[in-house]
Amino acid sequence: MHKKYITNFDTSKLPSEKVDTVIVGSGLAGLSVAKKLIELGQKPLVLAKKTIERTNSFLAQGGIAAAVSIYDDPDKHKEDTLKAGKGLSNVENVKVLVEEGLERVLELVSEGVPFDRKDEKLSLTKEGAHSLNRILHVKDKTGEYLTKHLHEKVKQTAYIQYGYFIEEFLVEDGKFYGVVVSNKKKKKVIYAKSLVIASGGYSPLFQRNTSAYFIGGDVISKAFRAGCELEDLEFIQFHPTALDLEGEPAFLFTEALRGEGAVLVDEEGNRFIDELKPRD
């Protein structure tokens, strides 16, 4: 945080609350952090602009990757991920992804998330850039099931406040100490010891995209103004396959379709690409 940053708000006349941790965003990232903090004895506050159904996580279809197969292992998953990253990936972060990510997925399995199965075994499919079938899925609504599952896990303990958006991050001498939030009718201050920003990306800045159209990167811009360092802003995710209808949002076709053998053809019916290439 920049030491010279000064908030524009006079917070002295606003109602206030105090919590240990503020989590901005109610998608899978935010809810996962809330779940872990609860396990550590905290009662975090999750701020959501809308309901959990209005997140990119909830809308995610295809599945979640983890090396759960007896033919797979985290090193193979790591190798595929680094290849897909074209040498730009942070190797340590990828290591965390494939190792701890596997632990989290197995945790979700043990907690009863109804991943699809065949003959009692987890049904795994393939997606772009993966050399093996390692995508667990729940029908074509994996994100919806996972988001609902984590929401159920945290809602009894965490404070979840819907309909609130960030007005300002409060910083003094380079240190975060709270947020000013609004629900369009009133503002309030939430004082906290720590902050987690899990508010999603900003691909809707582009006219054609496959993200939730109500996510616009405003939290990222306010965090930058408050002094947060931003990294890798050029990496914006666009889903590779979507239906292009004039005047309509880009309707996403689940990546699982290509993993199960669907092909892409041009207007003359000719296949023009390897459907399981990395997204770049």
Side-chain angles (χ1 to χ4, degrees), residues 10-277:
D10 177 6
T11 59
S12 61
K13 297 178 182 178
L14 295 178
S16 65
E17 305 171 15
K18 285 186 179 181
V19 297
D20 286 327
T21 303
V22 170
I23 300 170
V24 185
S26 59
L28 287 176
L31 293 176
S32 296
V33 173
K35 179 174 179 283
K36 185 55 63 176
L37 289 175
I38 289 168
E39 292 170 1
L40 294 172
Q42 274 202 34
K43 188 170 183 176
L45 169 65
V46 179
L47 292 173
K49 272 187 183 176
K50 304 287 184 181
T51 62
I52 60 167
E53 291 82 8
R54 302 276 283 178
T55 62
N56 272 323
S57 293
F58 193 91
L59 299 174
Q61 298 174 342
I64 184 169
V68 298
S69 166
I70 59 171
Y71 306 105
D72 202 358
D73 61 61
D75 284 337
K76 291 176 183 176
H77 192 180
K78 177 183 173 183
E79 185 178 334
D80 286 347
T81 305
L82 291 174
K83 282 182 182 177
K86 300 292 184 183
L88 298 174
S89 306
N90 181 307
V91 178
E92 285 304 309
N93 288 350
V94 173
K95 192 170 184 289
V96 170
L97 168 73
V98 299
E99 293 179 358
E100 295 187 24
L102 172 59
E103 294 174 12
R104 298 290 77 75
V105 169
L106 292 175
E107 196 174 274
L108 291 170
V109 173
S110 69
E111 289 173 356
V113 174
F115 289 109
D116 294 340
R117 294 174 181 266
K118 186 175 182 179
D119 300 327
E120 299 301 313
K121 294 182 179 179
L122 289 167
S123 180
L124 304 174
T125 190
K126 187 184 284 187
E127 289 186 354
H130 293 280
S131 61
L132 295 165
N133 288 34
R134 62 167 66 99
I135 312 299
L136 297 85
H137 47 86
V138 188
K139 305 181 177 65
D140 64 342
K141 296 183 176 181
T142 310
E144 177 179 333
Y145 276 83
L146 292 181
T147 306
K148 285 181 175 178
H149 172 80
L150 286 175
H151 184 254
E152 284 297 315
K153 284 282 184 184
V154 307
K155 71 177 186 180
Q156 299 300 329
T157 304
Y159 304 104
I160 304 180
Q161 297 188 4
Y162 304 101
Y164 280 93
F165 61 91
I166 299 292
E167 286 270 9
E168 194 89 0
F169 291 103
L170 301 177
V171 178
E172 186 174 356
D173 293 330
K175 252 185 153 177
F176 164 82
Y177 67 93
V179 291
V180 178
V181 298
S182 170
N183 64 359
K184 295 185 179 180
K185 296 178 182 177
K186 60 182 180 180
K187 296 177 183 178
K188 64 180 179 180
V189 185
I190 302 171
Y191 296 106
K193 299 174 185 175
S194 55
L195 168 72
V196 176
I197 299 175
S199 56
Y202 44 91
S203 60
L205 291 175
F206 293 82
Q207 184 177 11
R208 301 299 292 172
N209 68 85
T210 53
S211 293
Y213 272 65
F214 37 83
I215 294 173
D218 55 298
V219 176
I220 296 174
S221 66
K222 288 167 184 172
F224 177 69
R225 192 171 70 222
C228 283
E229 292 186 11
L230 306 182
E231 186 176 357
D232 296 334
L233 295 184
E234 70 273 28
F235 295 116
I236 301 170
Q237 175 173 256
F238 294 93
H239 199 277
T241 41
L243 181 63
D244 184 13
L245 295 175
E246 188 174 348
E248 297 291 333
F251 180 79
L252 186 155
F253 288 119
T254 174
E255 196 165 349
L257 288 171
R258 290 177 285 118
E260 292 297 318
V263 296
L264 296 171
V265 298
D266 61 21
E267 63 271 18
E268 296 176 352
N270 298 316
R271 186 181 180 199
F272 60 92
I273 194 171
D274 175 356
E275 291 77 12
L276 293 180
K277 277 185 175 293

